Amino acid sequence: MATFNQERVEHALNELLVRIVPEDPSEDESAANQRFEAAFDFAIDELSVAGQPSVVPDINHIASLIERRVTRANDGAQQTARFHNLFSRLVSQPVLEQKWRMLYFLLQLSDLPPATDQPAPRDPRARTREPTTPSKHTSAGAQMHESPAFREAFAKPGLSQLPVNDGSPRASPRPAPEADKPEKRKERRSQETSKEQATDTEQHKALAGPTEPSLLRDLPFTLQGLSSKNLVFPSSTALKLPATLPVPLVSLLHTLAEPSLLYRGLAEFVESTEGGLVGQSFRSALGKELRSYLGLVATLEGQIRRALSQLDEAQPHNGIGKAGVTLKRCVIWTREATMGLRLMSLMVEESKGKKGGQLISLIHSFSLSHGDPYVGAFAERLLSHVTRPFYDMLRQWIYDGELADPFGEFFVSEQSEDDIREANGQEGKGGATSVWEDKYKLNEKMIPTIITEEFANKVFLIGKTLNFIRYGCGDAAWVDTYSKEASKELHYGDTANLEQSIGDAYKTTMARLIDLMANKFKLFEHLQALKKYLLLGAGDFIAVLMESLSSNLDRPANTQYRHTLTAQLEHAVRNSNAQFDSQDVLRRLDSRMLELSHGEIGWDVFTLEYKIDAPVDVIVTPFGSKQYLKVFNFLWRVKRVEFALGSTWRRCMTGARGVLGTVSDKVGSDWKKARCAIAEMVHFVNQLQYYILFEVIESSWTELQEALNKPESTLDDLIQAHAKYLTSITRKGLLGSQSTDFTGQLHELLKTMLAYKDAVDGLYSFSVAEFTRRQEHAAKIETRTAAGRWGLSEKDSLDSPDPFGPKRSSRADPDSPFPPPLLKIGDDNSSEDDVLPALRKRLATLVVDFRARITVLLGDLVHQPDHDMRWLAMVMNFNDVYQPVRRRRKVDKKREREKETPQPTTAIKTAGGERA
């Protein structure tokens, strides 16, 4: 009986026995009730011990057996069609669950024999279930089976009338009141059964737990995360269900518990106050979605209350199915809301540790890469609220140049003084360069995916430009006017309007900044002045300055004075075309001395300086000023060598027609070699100057002009173009090569040429001294001859055999018509035989050293990747008078040493082997 519904079985069996148990008119009421109870208990016992059927519970198999039985009748085809119709209607009924048992029961009933013959049952389990009444009158059993009343009792329509027991002594009809005994017995049995059913129902309800209506009554509170009588929240992440609920209800409640727990967690997140502006906006958007969810819960609560008011206790399950609201329907109604809550919970979990642009990128990823259109639409709806603080910060940045980001959520960040000092070292960049390059930084991690990286760079440049115009250029009035005229409301989704706004702002701000730099702060005039004065573009100014300073700069460096150099600078300005430049440019031009070292002269420490102030120093940075100073010092040294060689060459050319021609028999060959060497040096210096001034500086200047005048250029473009200009000058100007030290080579070559110039000056002094000696000797002979004496005597030769000796009294004679020599050669022990060979040796050594260094320099230039440097090597050696030699680098030498290292070891081993 464990598999039967006890109440339904007893009720059905009671109704069955009332119909089939025959009445005995001779019995009294108590005996009849006892017999009925005995039959009822017998039926219950039989059902309890019956067990499961021996066949497989297959509804199709039972249907085929019944169909086979039906086809045996005379009208088999018609009966079969009728059976198929009834069978299909039975299968389609969703209410009936025990369909197979019904068909099996009908099949077993069809196996019962007719009332006339009773064959033995084929199966002990298939024996007839005729209700028998255990009675003392066993002899009357056969007669009762044969009686018409018994046959009528087991007929299909049941008892048509009250049976009359013919064999009873009380054959006469009973009075009318006695005819109500079966009905009274039935009512009594029904009352007892109802009492038992009520008791069992109460016990069943106590064991089965809350009903579905009571659960529906608590459901609105559960969906809001509130505990109720039947559904309790022990914690924020758990919902406790009654232990006695049936499995179908537990499954439904599990499904409904998900939105309840999700709402509870999301409500706690929304109520928190952590995070920045974008984070709070995210919480606000989630709160709006939760309010929509609560609207659904309110609607659902109204439907539940309306349905509960229409319940009918007389119907199965109180008629809740007909009321229109069940737990299963609530699951379906909350399915879309559950998906939204699940999505919001996922966003909340992944948003931990994210802020600003990162949070926007997270939400945007759901609409960008998710295939579900519901998820995409939900994310887009959230983005329209979450991005409002971001677009407010963006609008203030691109229209006012101000960063309103208290929580660091924007992709532009402002750096503190400590961060700038740590990034640039203790010195720092200073000036407007620091404001432009270091004050604001672009944080690529915070760029949201709703904008591209190029778009973000443009936005960053717009705001930085406005901020620089306001604070660096002092033009805050224009920024305020521009903000009032151009400011627009920005919001998510309006991509075309946003791009147009950014494009217009970009063009306007860049044009204004370039106009300020060009017209107000005279950027191009300053660059032109730097080229003229520091890159030696003004040749007349440099020539006058060098001529006026040459006498002062030949003296030691510690004897130079600032006011003297400044006066000579002003003299050079007044006597050259520099006087026509603006006063602002001339005011910035100044001369100063570099750090002094022992043994240096004025040429080594003199330099020009051009002062650059803000905001122009954002382009001509302090590092750029150092590069200009480096180029000027190099060009000034080359110019000094050119000036010195030119002075010596002029002296040689003018002396060749006078003094030097007289002593050509003694030093003529030396002067020929000297003039050739000086010509080589002058050619080298001229080609070097031409290359640097024209091929390097002028060509780079042309490229700079093109870059500066390019339409829609930005300040970063100007900075980059100027940096490229300086790099080109220093690299192509032999000052910035990383592979070869051209600066050191040129410095040694210039020193060699200056030393050779000093040696040539010594040769010239010797030639003048020799010319003076010969003139004195000729004058003495002429005077003596006029006096009638011998022109020369042995005494003259003994008195002064050597004009360079210590006994030359005539050199100190104040009455001598000849001036003293320019250079005193030799000391007390020197003589002509010692001075001239030393000069010749010195000149020859310097020429050899110069040519050796030239060949090495040409060898390095020939192998440079830059075609301009290779062209310089060709110009310097156009007739192949030098044989370029490339120096062996240290790496090559080290490799050769490593290759040569095993050879001595092998030789030693071989020798050892021979000895062995």
Side-chain angles (χ1 to χ4, degrees):
M1 288 294 294
T3 59
F4 291 102
N5 191 329
Q6 182 74 21
E7 299 176 1
R8 295 178 61 186
V9 169
E10 291 180 356
H11 178 72
L13 188 60
N14 181 69
E15 295 292 331
L16 182 62
L17 291 179
V18 168
R19 290 177 178 274
I20 65 176
V21 174
E23 291 286 343
D24 188 1
S26 61
E27 290 182 335
D28 57 359
E29 185 176 356
S30 60
N33 290 335
Q34 184 178 2
R35 185 165 57 85
F36 186 85
E37 292 290 344
F40 183 82
D41 293 338
F42 174 77
I44 290 293
D45 294 338
E46 287 295 318
L47 290 176
S48 301
V49 300
Q52 295 293 336
S54 60
V55 296
V56 178
D58 187 359
I59 187 172
N60 294 321
H61 177 65
I62 296 298
S64 63
L65 293 178
I66 295 176
E67 182 182 0
R68 191 180 307 167
R69 180 70 58 85
V70 170
T71 54
R72 295 176 184 174
N74 296 330
D75 53 350
Q78 183 179 0
Q79 295 295 333
T80 302
R82 183 182 180 188
F83 171 73
H84 283 168
N85 184 21
L86 295 174
F87 177 71
S88 61
R89 290 167 62 186
L90 175 66
V91 172
S92 62
Q93 290 294 327
V95 180
L96 302 178
E97 297 180 358
Q98 306 294 336
K99 299 180 180 65
W100 175 83
R101 293 182 182 275
M102 297 176 185
L103 295 177
Y104 181 73
F105 177 70
L106 294 176
L107 179 62
Q108 293 298 320
L109 289 179
S110 65
D111 290 337
L112 292 176
T116 56
D117 53 349
Q118 297 183 5
R122 293 170 294 176
D123 188 2
R125 296 177 57 87
R127 58 190 175 89
T128 58
R129 304 295 186 191
E130 295 179 3
T132 59
T133 304
S135 176
K136 300 176 184 179
H137 309 283
T138 55
S139 60
Q143 295 178 3
M144 185 175 59
H145 285 291
E146 296 296 335
S147 64
F150 186 82
R151 289 195 299 269
E152 186 179 1
F154 281 92
K156 287 184 179 181
L159 293 173
S160 57
Q161 60 182 359
L162 292 176
V164 178
N165 192 352
D166 298 335
S168 175
R170 304 173 184 175
S172 61
R174 290 178 176 271
E178 295 294 331
D180 295 336
K181 288 183 178 180
E183 295 296 333
K184 293 180 180 179
R185 186 165 59 248
K186 180 178 178 181
E187 291 177 2
R188 188 184 304 112
R189 181 63 184 175
S190 299
Q191 293 175 359
E192 294 176 359
T193 304
S194 300
K195 292 179 181 180
E196 293 177 359
Q197 288 179 358
T199 305
D200 294 341
T201 301
E202 293 178 359
Q203 296 177 356
H204 180 70
K205 288 183 179 180
L207 295 176
T211 60
E212 186 172 359
S214 61
L215 293 176
L216 282 173
R217 188 176 292 106
D218 296 340
L219 182 60
F221 302 97
T222 304
L223 292 177
Q224 298 178 60
L226 303 176
S227 298
S228 59
K229 178 181 178 181
N230 299 314
L231 303 174
V232 182
F233 288 92
S235 65
S236 60
T237 58
L239 176 63
K240 184 178 180 181
L241 304 180
T244 57
L245 287 176
V247 175
L249 289 182
V250 171
S251 176
L252 295 175
L253 290 177
H254 277 173
T255 306
L256 292 171
E258 182 182 4
S260 306
L261 296 175
L262 290 176
Y263 173 81
R264 192 181 180 96
L266 290 172
E268 293 179 359
F269 176 78
V270 169
E271 292 174 358
S272 63
T273 58
E274 300 177 358
L277 298 178
V278 178
Q280 292 296 328
S281 180
F282 177 54
R283 287 174 170 79
S284 175
L286 293 183
K288 184 176 181 180
E289 295 295 332
L290 292 182
R291 286 192 293 273
S292 300
Y293 168 76
L294 291 179
L296 172 64
V297 173
T299 304
L300 189 62
E301 183 180 8
Q303 295 291 335
I304 291 174
R305 289 183 178 180
R306 189 179 300 108
L308 292 178
S309 64
Q310 298 175 359
L311 291 181
D312 185 6
E313 296 181 358
Q315 299 292 332
H317 301 287
N318 296 330
I320 193 170
K322 296 181 179 180
V325 179
T326 60
L327 288 177
K328 186 175 293 185
R329 290 185 179 180
C330 290
V331 169
I332 296 174
W333 291 339
T334 59
R335 180 173 298 172
E336 186 174 350
T338 303
M339 187 181 300
L341 293 173
R342 190 184 301 140
L343 182 59
M344 288 189 287
S345 178
L346 178 62
M347 291 180 180
V348 169
E349 289 296 327
E350 294 187 4
S351 66
K352 294 180 179 179
K354 292 182 173 60
K355 63 178 183 178
Q358 296 175 339
L359 182 58
I360 295 175
S361 299
L362 170 65
I363 302 175
H364 188 241
S365 64
F366 286 92
S367 65
L368 198 64
S369 59
H370 206 284
D372 191 348
Y374 173 79
V375 176
F378 189 87
E380 290 289 330
R381 190 166 63 250
L382 284 182
L383 280 175
S384 61
H385 296 278
V386 174
T387 55
R388 287 179 181 176
F390 172 80
Y391 280 103
D392 289 340
M393 289 185 281
L394 179 64
R395 183 188 57 79
Q396 195 165 359
W397 174 252
I398 64 174
Y399 291 124
D400 296 331
E402 298 290 345
L403 184 61
D405 185 19
F407 299 97
E409 298 174 297
F410 201 53
F411 57 85
V412 178
S413 59
E414 184 175 0
Q415 296 197 115
S416 62
E417 295 292 338
D418 297 335
D419 295 337
I420 297 175
R421 191 178 300 108
E422 182 179 356
N424 299 326
Q426 295 298 327
E427 297 180 359
K429 298 179 181 179
T433 304
S434 177
V435 175
W436 177 260
E437 295 185 359
D438 299 327
K439 185 176 181 180
Y440 296 103
K441 288 295 181 183
L442 181 64
N443 190 358
E444 297 181 355
K445 295 181 180 180
M446 298 299 292
I447 299 177
T449 54
I450 59 176
I451 61 176
T452 61
E453 186 174 354
E454 180 183 359
F455 188 85
N457 289 326
K458 187 177 291 187
V459 168
F460 172 67
L461 191 57
I462 292 172
K464 189 169 66 169
T465 302
L466 287 173
N467 187 272
F468 185 75
I469 293 175
R470 180 188 294 271
Y471 298 105
C473 301
D475 196 4
W478 181 88
V479 177
D480 295 337
T481 304
Y482 164 75
S483 176
K484 293 178 181 178
E485 294 177 354
S487 182
K488 298 179 182 178
E489 189 70 25
L490 304 177
H491 55 86
Y492 177 75
D494 194 1
T495 307
N497 187 23
L498 180 62
E499 291 181 354
Q500 183 180 359
S501 301
I502 296 299
D504 296 341
Y506 182 80
K507 294 178 181 179
T508 305
T509 54
M510 293 303 110
R512 177 60 181 176
L513 181 57
I514 298 301
D515 179 71
L516 287 174
M517 297 299 290
N519 299 324
K520 182 178 179 180
F521 300 105
K522 310 296 183 182
L523 170 65
F524 301 128
E525 290 186 9
H526 294 317
L527 293 177
Q528 183 71 32
L530 286 169
K531 177 178 176 293
K532 288 174 60 177
Y533 298 117
L534 296 188
L535 301 183
L536 307 189
D540 57 340
F541 167 78
I542 297 299
V544 174
L545 180 64
M546 190 162 288
E547 289 178 1
S548 61
L549 287 175
S550 59
S551 59
N552 292 328
L553 297 181
D554 286 335
R555 293 180 296 183
N558 54 6
T559 62
Q560 306 295 326
Y561 298 100
R562 179 73 178 273
H563 64 276
T564 304
L565 300 178
T566 304
Q568 297 298 331
L569 177 63
E570 293 178 357
H571 174 266
V573 170
R574 288 194 302 268
N575 291 274
S576 64
N577 288 328
Q579 61 181 321
F580 301 109
D581 286 340
S582 64
Q583 291 299 321
D584 181 59
V585 171
L586 297 177
R587 179 178 55 83
R588 298 173 184 272
L589 186 63
D590 193 12
S591 62
R592 65 185 182 91
M593 307 294 292
L594 300 176
E595 295 181 1
L596 302 180
S597 299
H598 180 70
E600 290 183 339
I601 61 176
W603 290 103
D604 300 326
V605 296
F606 173 80
T607 185
L608 286 181
E609 181 184 19
Y610 191 85
K611 298 178 182 179
I612 297 292
D613 52 11
V616 181
D617 61 349
V618 73
I619 296 177
V620 185
T621 61
F623 175 77
S625 299
K626 293 180 181 179
Q627 294 296 99
Y628 276 112
L629 184 61
K630 181 179 179 181
V631 175
F632 171 78
N633 290 333
F634 172 70
L635 293 176
W636 181 256
R637 194 179 299 120
V638 175
K639 206 71 176 177
R640 175 205 173 186
V641 172
E642 181 195 24
F643 180 77
L645 292 178
S647 301
T648 302
W649 180 261
R650 287 192 301 271
R651 180 183 296 180
C652 294
M653 290 298 101
T654 55
R657 296 188 294 269
V659 177
L660 301 183
T662 307
V663 294
S664 60
D665 57 334
K666 190 172 184 178
V667 293
S669 60
D670 298 326
W671 276 110
K672 183 177 181 180
K673 295 178 181 178
R675 284 192 295 268
C676 292
I678 291 176
E680 291 182 22
M681 295 178 183
V682 170
H683 171 73
F684 171 78
V685 171
N686 289 337
Q687 295 301 326
L688 180 62
Q689 282 194 104
Y690 169 79
Y691 168 73
I692 295 176
L693 294 177
F694 293 95
E695 297 298 333
V696 175
I697 296 179
E698 287 297 332
S699 62
S700 301
W701 175 256
T702 303
E703 294 178 359
L704 176 63
Q705 291 294 102
E706 293 177 356
L708 296 180
N709 296 324
K710 187 181 299 182
E712 298 184 3
S713 59
T714 65
L715 187 60
D716 281 334
D717 294 337
L718 301 185
I719 295 174
Q720 185 178 3
H722 185 260
K724 182 180 179 182
Y725 168 68
L726 286 180
T727 302
S728 176
I729 289 175
T730 54
R731 183 178 59 82
K732 291 185 179 181
L734 311 179
L735 299 177
S737 177
Q738 299 179 354
S739 59
T740 308
D741 185 17
F742 289 112
T743 305
Q745 294 185 47
L746 292 174
H747 181 67
E748 293 298 327
L749 274 170
L750 296 177
K751 286 176 61 177
T752 302
M753 288 186 279
L754 288 175
Y756 191 83
K757 176 256 181 187
D758 293 337
V760 171
D761 288 343
L763 180 62
Y764 185 82
S765 297
F766 176 83
S767 301
V768 171
E770 177 65 21
F771 172 76
T772 304
R773 185 186 67 80
R774 291 184 180 186
Q775 289 294 326
E776 289 181 354
H777 188 67
K780 185 181 294 187
I781 292 175
E782 184 178 354
T783 303
R784 289 181 179 181
T785 302
R789 294 182 297 172
W790 295 99
L792 291 176
S793 63
E794 294 180 359
K795 184 180 179 180
D796 295 332
S797 301
L798 292 174
D799 290 342
S800 181
D802 187 3
F804 297 95
K807 297 181 180 180
R808 290 184 60 208
S809 58
S810 62
R811 297 294 299 275
D813 187 2
D815 297 333
S816 177
F818 301 102
L822 297 176
L823 179 64
K824 184 179 179 181
I825 302 177
D827 52 10
D828 295 342
N829 299 323
S830 65
S831 63
E832 181 182 358
D833 297 335
D834 298 333
V835 173
L836 187 58
L839 286 174
R840 288 174 177 173
K841 183 178 179 181
R842 176 66 173 165
L843 291 172
T845 302
L846 290 175
V847 169
V848 171
D849 185 33
F850 172 76
R851 290 174 178 172
R853 294 183 183 278
I854 281 288
T855 56
V856 173
L857 177 63
L858 294 177
D860 292 338
L861 289 174
V862 167
H863 293 87
Q864 288 298 313
D866 190 82
H867 64 89
D868 290 332
M869 293 185 178
R870 296 197 299 270
W871 182 86
L872 174 61
M874 184 271 297
V875 171
M876 287 184 175
N877 192 25
F878 67 94
N879 55 356
D880 293 333
V881 69
Y882 304 110
Q883 297 298 325
V885 177
R886 191 176 188 186
R887 289 185 303 176
R888 296 169 62 186
R889 299 181 181 177
K890 295 181 180 180
V891 178
D892 298 336
K893 293 180 180 179
K894 186 177 181 180
R895 290 178 181 175
E896 291 185 1
R897 289 176 184 175
E898 291 177 354
K899 292 180 180 179
E900 294 175 359
T901 301
Q903 295 179 2
T905 306
T906 306
I908 292 173
K909 289 183 178 179
T910 306
E914 292 176 355
R915 290 177 183 176

